[in-house]
Amino acid sequence: MPILADAWFIHAATNGKHSGPAELVRGEMEIDDLQPNEVLLAPLFGSWEGNMTHAIDRDPIDICEARGYERCVIGNSGVARIVELGADVTDLKEGQVVLMGAMDTDAWGYPKKLMAYDMPVQGLMRTRMKLRSDQVLPLPENTRHDLTRWAAFNVRYPTAWDNWRIAHGTFRLLINEEEFPRMNVWAWGGGTALAEAHLATLLGHSGVAIASTPERKELIESMGVKAVDRTNFPALQFDERRYKTDEEYAAAYRDSETAFLATVAELTGGLGVQVFVDLIGEPVFRATLKALGRQGIVATAGWKVGMRMKFLRAVECIARHQFIHTHFAPLSEARKAIAFAEENEWLPIIDERIYDFDEIPELAANYAAGKYRMFPVYRINGE
Ligand SMILES: NC(=O)c1ccc[n+]([C@@H]2O[C@H](COP(=O)([O-])OP(=O)(O)OC[C@H]3O[C@@H](n4cnc5c(N)ncnc54)[C@H](OP(=O)(O)O)[C@@H]3O)[C@@H](O)[C@H]2O)c1
């Protein structure tokens, strides 16, 4: 008997590469027979994240075109229940709840490609899927936390965990805990950056996250992290070309940057930031560097608004600033992140509305229009 799944697809562009955003289309999908090293999964809840909107926008890549698919299922963050084990799978159980850890790794165990993003494994916006047994990460048995929260934990939190591991370790090479116990850890951006500021806060550091809406600031504060209002610095969007040619823009930028650096000085007692998590990129990078204290660290795993960075080596060397770049996490670290989260409630607080499977196109439209708080979740087979 073939295994059938109800799924939301995006289709390949019919008239070339730049034919506009994809539509979500509901359809049936036949899944190949379960192989001995695989598990059959019923995805329960998924979390809507930026990469899914990029996939729909076909920007920066058209996933169907890149993989030669006629249609594909997106979604790489969520929780699933194991419904059947392949004949050789001995370390997992039917009924167990897992996260998706599907990725191609290099010889060091680091991710090269991620499921339903740049790796040719279809995503979880469907009622059944299968993965190799080593591509799932079991949650603690009888977890005390809601599965919807774990759905939004899946990609962003292990990313934040591993980024913090390297940033924190690097800072501790420069100055030890006795000399400087409590670091100022600031974060630009959304869910992943907030996860890292929250982690630092739980570990006793002073965490700050920057956001622009009252709902997000309230969420940040409810996690014990200090919120800084991005709207106080309205022109803090650096554009080098404009800065050189448009005096009005340059003056407004400088005013916002000065106000931002005054806020940093005030909240860090003049010491500056020790770890600045910047998943935004170009528009904020100049201010990020200026906000760092001596031997401060810029930590990144993302480039929401620009990948190319420019800085003066001499200035950064003399300041002993360090630059940390990571991508998701090795599975060994993702397992540690799960254990820490269970123990310490290091988990996202998800948006109030959970979208039903039928409502996924509405969720996609709301996300694209910015109508979400931070962690929107949808239901697949979950109750
Ligand atoms: N490498 C990896 O494994 C990995 C894993 C997860 C995420 N990422 C990447 O990390 C980036 C962030 O993803 P995310 O899911 O954590 O974020 P997100 O939830 O998509 O949120 C991004 C937030 O950044 C803020 N923002 C947008 N433009 C800004 C600007 N010009 N200046 C300052 N703030 C701005 C906005 O919040 P406010 O308006 O409230 O400030 C926005 O909601 C993305 O590029 C994503 O692809 C990478």
Side-chain angles (χ1 to χ4, degrees), residues 48-51 54 111 114 117 155-160 188-195 210-213 216-217 220 228-231 236-238 278-284 300-306 326-329 367 372-376:
W48 194 279
E49 303 193 356
N51 67 73
H54 287 312
L114 304 179
Y117 181 58
V155 173
R156 287 156 157 165
Y157 277 62
T159 302
W188 289 113
T192 316
L194 173 57
I210 302 157
S212 71
T213 69
R216 286 189 194 138
K217 283 185 281 162
I220 290 165
V228 163
D229 190 338
R230 189 158 78 87
T231 61
L236 199 67
Q237 297 292 312
F238 189 64
D278 173 3
L279 278 76
I280 298 300
E282 277 171 64
V284 298
T300 192
W303 38 88
K304 183 100 188 168
V305 202
T326 63
H327 181 45
F328 190 57
Y367 190 93
Y372 64 98
R373 188 170 66 173
M374 187 81 80
F375 298 108

Side-chain angles (χ1 to χ4, degrees), residues 164-212:
W164 168 256
R165 180 173 72 93
I166 315 293
H168 172 261
T170 304
F171 188 75
R172 285 297 172 226
L173 268 180
L174 296 155
I175 183 160
N176 69 33
E177 211 161 345
E178 286 76 53
E179 286 175 283
F180 196 94
R182 194 157 190 254
M183 295 152 64
N184 293 294
V185 179
W186 284 48
W188 289 113
T192 316
L194 173 57
E196 198 159 331
H198 185 204
L199 175 60
T201 305
L202 289 173
L203 294 172
H205 301 288
S206 170
V208 171
I210 302 157
S212 71

Side-chain angles (χ1 to χ4, degrees), residues 35-74:
Q35 298 302 304
N37 63 345
E38 291 178 335
V39 289
L40 182 66
L41 301 166
L44 301 175
F45 296 98
S47 149
W48 194 279
E49 303 193 356
N51 67 73
M52 299 165 75
T53 301
H54 287 312
I56 288 181
D57 290 343
R58 308 188 200 277
D59 180 24
I61 58 163
D62 183 330
I63 296 184
C64 289
E65 189 190 81
R67 298 192 208 136
Y69 289 161
E70 231 168 78
R71 57 180 197 171
C72 73
V73 180
I74 55 175

Side-chain angles (χ1 to χ4, degrees), residues 49-125:
E49 303 193 356
N51 67 73
M52 299 165 75
T53 301
H54 287 312
I56 288 181
D57 290 343
R58 308 188 200 277
D59 180 24
I61 58 163
D62 183 330
I63 296 184
C64 289
E65 189 190 81
R67 298 192 208 136
Y69 289 161
E70 231 168 78
R71 57 180 197 171
C72 73
V73 180
I74 55 175
N76 55 7
S77 184
V79 282
R81 193 178 296 285
I82 298 178
V83 289
E84 197 180 330
L85 299 174
D88 292 348
V89 181
T90 53
D91 56 344
L92 295 167
K93 288 189 280 193
E94 273 180 24
Q96 207 166 9
V97 179
V98 296
L99 301 184
M100 324 285 159
M103 58 194 199
D104 268 348
T105 51
D106 63 11
W108 305 89
Y110 289 114
K112 287 190 296 183
K113 293 184 174 180
L114 304 179
M115 173 184 114
Y117 181 58
D118 45 7
M119 178 182 169
V121 170
Q122 306 245 5
L124 58 83
M125 242 161 46

